[in-house]
Amino acid sequence: MTDQASKSTKEKIISVTIQLIREEKDVKKITMREIAKRADLAVSVINYHFQTKENLINKAVQAIISSVVRGAADKAKETSDDPIIKLENHLKQAVEFIVNNPGIARVSILNNLTKGSIDDNSYQVFNSIYAILKEIFGDSKEEITLKMMAHQQLATVQVMFLRSEVFKEQTGFDFFDAKQRERLMDILLNNLLCNERGE
């Protein structure tokens, strides 16, 4: 198999897996046999390229979320010139994606936390947040301070989602309730930007 044919086969497998994830929502229910049938390939071909279902699902989820992150960043730029509003929009879009796609989000976040890499989804989201914080604060804050602020925002959302029941028990806020989530995002942004707003 040539490199081009191998790449094409891998892309086809990932594309089919993405379709199944979007249809099924619960990635645990997707089987290698189902992927192979839909891709019109043998299971052994999929195993050759990805070794395990977990590797394949992780690649597909990363592709889905990379697309969402790029779209959210582009949309945030289009909605306002005010970087604070951009940050608010970016955060709320990311959280809405998590709420509407909990299976995909859980796979992505857990994979990023346990096997993180420089090109994973959390890193892309971090970069988006950092870029907007840089717009907000310019040179008035050190680079490390802005990076820590971006990490704090990212980690807080991940914890609110992954530990939603514990978070609700601790704070009384239900991450999956739209009104309460809106209030949570306002609190998160206010805490992050309180120095900028003079509070």
Side-chain angles (χ1 to χ4, degrees):
M1 187 179 280
T2 67
D3 286 346
Q4 186 59 38
S6 178
K7 183 178 178 187
S8 177
T9 300
K10 284 177 85 169
E11 287 171 357
K12 180 179 183 180
I13 294 166
I14 290 172
S15 176
V16 164
T17 305
I18 288 170
Q19 289 171 0
L20 285 167
I21 289 170
R22 288 195 165 127
E23 290 169 18
E24 182 58 53
K25 301 294 185 201
D26 184 355
V27 295
K28 292 176 188 169
K29 294 182 180 177
I30 297 170
T31 65
M32 291 292 262
R33 194 168 277 145
E34 187 178 13
I35 295 166
K37 182 178 177 184
R38 184 82 65 98
D40 197 25
L41 295 167
V43 172
S44 60
V45 173
I46 297 171
N47 286 332
Y48 169 78
H49 287 290
F50 295 97
Q51 293 74 51
T52 67
K53 175 184 156 184
E54 181 185 9
N55 287 341
L56 173 54
I57 295 291
N58 287 339
K59 288 284 185 193
V61 166
Q62 185 170 349
I64 291 168
I65 295 186
S66 291
S67 172
V68 170
V69 169
R70 283 191 305 273
D74 292 344
K75 193 171 182 181
K77 288 176 190 172
E78 294 169 6
T79 53
S80 176
D81 290 334
D82 182 340
I84 292 176
I85 293 172
K86 279 188 210 176
L87 184 61
E88 181 178 4
N89 290 338
H90 190 301
L91 175 65
K92 289 182 178 178
Q93 288 168 16
V95 169
E96 287 308 307
F97 177 83
I98 289 170
V99 167
N100 293 325
N101 302 276
I104 294 171
R106 183 171 302 281
V107 168
S108 176
I109 293 169
L110 289 174
N111 187 53
N112 293 175
L113 290 174
T114 57
K115 302 173 189 167
S117 70
I118 202 87
D119 64 344
D120 68 20
N121 295 316
S122 292
Y123 191 81
Q124 291 179 49
V125 173
F126 162 81
N127 277 337
S128 299
I129 295 167
Y130 171 73
I132 299 172
L133 289 172
K134 187 77 174 148
E135 277 186 68
I136 293 169
F137 293 103
D139 294 328
S140 69
K141 291 194 181 292
E142 289 182 79
E143 184 177 345
I144 186 62
T145 300
L146 295 177
K147 287 182 176 179
M148 288 303 298
M149 290 168 70
H151 276 295
Q152 288 168 347
Q153 187 179 37
L154 176 64
T156 301
V157 171
Q158 290 174 336
V159 167
M160 285 191 292
F161 167 63
L162 290 175
R163 295 174 50 89
S164 59
E165 289 302 314
V166 174
F167 185 79
K168 183 178 179 182
E169 181 71 28
Q170 291 172 329
T171 66
F173 279 96
D174 182 352
F175 181 77
F176 288 95
D177 178 275
K179 283 187 177 182
Q180 291 182 39
R181 189 171 57 253
E182 182 83 15
R183 177 77 178 114
L184 281 170
M185 296 307 102
D186 289 343
I187 291 168
L188 179 58
L189 283 166
N190 189 52
N191 286 345
L192 186 72
L193 302 173
C194 63
N195 292 337
E196 175 65 9
R197 292 174 172 163
E199 296 170 10

